[in-house]
Amino acid sequence: MACTNHQADRTIAWWLQSMHAQNLVDQNAIIESSSTALLPTEEQSVVDLILKAILEQRIAPGTKLGEEALANIFGVSRTRIRRVLLSLSHRYVVELRPNRGAIVASPSEQEARNIFEARRAIELAIAKGLAKQIGRSELAELRKHVRAEADARKRADSREAIRLSGEFHLLLARLAGSKTLSGILETLVSQTSLIIGLYGHRHGSSCAYEDHEEIINALNSKDPQKASALMLDHLEKIESTLDLTPEPTMSQDLHSIFGQIAAKD
């Protein structure tokens, strides 16, 4: 399903050029580093666990990602860890600093605003496109996902709820059928988790599953304008909770972070 439009195309191009201008990576790397990229299984598992930690806000922006520590934690070689960190840098969630190692990215205030602008352009286009031709099976999958979100909230499992709320947006992109948009949105959602970790309030900065339910209802009604309007309101609501003044980040113990995740898996 083609669900982009000229505004989304322009914003995507602008965002990629903006990130490239900061000498982060080449403009194609983000798409090549999406979940469909071919990494060895062992390395992809480590990438997935680190991304999960970011989505669940277990790992703070600015945290140093020591090669030796990660190699010991995951039981792989430092060479594999270097490739993992390179893949994560292509998603803009890790910064590789020459002679100083890798750290979890800390988006600036302006980068945070740019990321939300890009998300609005992409996700409004996705919502419009889905509303025109979404089917029963896709609606059922979305409703099942939101039930899982609601259940996590009821169990007070905030980390699971945060991860699922971000994955709802990725599910919409996947159902829209655009690998390019899905790959870009994976990075934007991960960056959003870092932004919320830096600038968000302890309560109220993550997605509300009730908003997701309203979006699903608009999709079910085949109402593109309402679906995109609800998505716009939803994203602006999240951005409005941010205090774009960074607080100092504290060092974190990697063994504690990833030990918890591995135990859950």
Side-chain angles (χ1 to χ4, degrees):
M1 179 190 304
C3 61
T4 188
N5 56 25
H6 295 305
Q7 180 186 4
D9 290 340
R10 287 195 301 271
T11 301
I12 292 166
W14 159 79
W15 176 74
L16 288 170
Q17 290 166 3
S18 172
M19 301 302 279
H20 180 56
Q22 298 169 45
N23 297 317
L24 295 177
V25 293
D26 67 88
Q27 294 182 17
N28 294 321
I30 183 172
I31 298 171
E32 295 170 358
S33 300
S34 70
S35 60
T36 59
L38 295 177
L39 278 177
T41 302
E42 199 170 13
E43 293 172 20
Q44 185 61 52
S45 296
V46 177
V47 168
D48 291 343
L49 283 171
I50 294 175
L51 285 174
K52 183 177 181 181
I54 290 171
L55 281 174
E56 293 183 349
Q57 296 175 20
R58 291 179 180 270
I59 186 166
T63 298
K64 184 175 181 180
L65 298 172
E67 289 181 8
E68 185 174 358
L70 291 173
N72 290 334
I73 289 166
F74 295 113
V76 300
S77 69
R78 291 182 66 171
T79 299
R80 288 187 182 276
I81 291 298
R82 290 189 193 103
R83 286 198 289 264
V84 164
L85 294 174
L86 180 61
S87 176
L88 291 167
S89 76
H90 289 168
R91 298 169 183 260
Y92 309 124
V93 295
V94 165
E95 295 177 11
L96 301 180
R97 306 171 300 171
N99 303 317
R100 291 188 296 163
I103 61 170
V104 178
S106 299
S108 69
E109 174 184 343
Q110 186 56 51
E111 287 167 348
R113 297 188 188 282
N114 292 350
I115 286 161
F116 272 96
E117 184 175 346
R119 284 194 63 173
R120 282 191 289 272
I122 292 170
E123 296 196 62
L124 266 61
I126 287 172
K128 278 187 177 181
L130 272 175
K132 292 176 182 177
Q133 49 184 325
I134 194 167
R136 290 183 180 179
S137 61
E138 289 88 355
L139 286 165
E141 189 172 356
L142 288 168
R143 289 190 174 114
K144 180 180 179 181
H145 188 95
V146 171
R147 285 196 298 271
E149 285 186 62
D151 181 64
R153 293 288 182 191
K154 290 175 183 176
R155 289 185 284 104
D157 188 344
S158 60
R159 297 194 187 280
E160 178 78 357
I162 289 168
R163 179 178 61 81
L164 288 170
S165 67
E167 289 179 351
F168 173 81
H169 294 263
L170 301 180
L171 178 57
L172 288 175
R174 179 173 65 78
L175 295 176
S178 171
K179 290 184 179 180
T180 299
L181 292 185
S182 293
I184 293 173
L185 194 58
E186 282 182 17
T187 291
L188 292 171
V189 168
S190 295
Q191 288 179 304
T192 301
S193 290
L194 295 176
I195 290 165
I196 291 173
L198 271 174
Y199 306 109
H201 301 297
R202 186 171 295 273
H203 301 289
S205 294
S206 62
C207 295
Y209 72 86
E210 295 90 349
D211 287 358
H212 293 170
E213 288 177 335
E214 290 185 14
I215 291 169
I216 293 172
N217 289 337
L219 295 174
N220 184 46
S221 300
K222 308 288 187 185
D223 190 336
Q225 296 305 319
K226 185 174 182 181
S228 61
L230 287 170
M231 181 63 75
L232 175 62
D233 180 69
H234 178 55
L235 293 172
E236 289 185 339
K237 193 183 301 181
I238 297 170
E239 187 176 6
S240 71
T241 67
L242 303 177
D243 176 10
L244 293 174
T245 304
E247 295 183 1
T249 56
M250 299 181 64
S251 178
Q252 290 184 292
D253 178 58
L254 296 179
H255 287 82
S256 174
I257 293 166
F258 294 110
Q260 295 172 19
I261 294 176
K264 285 185 68 175
D265 290 346

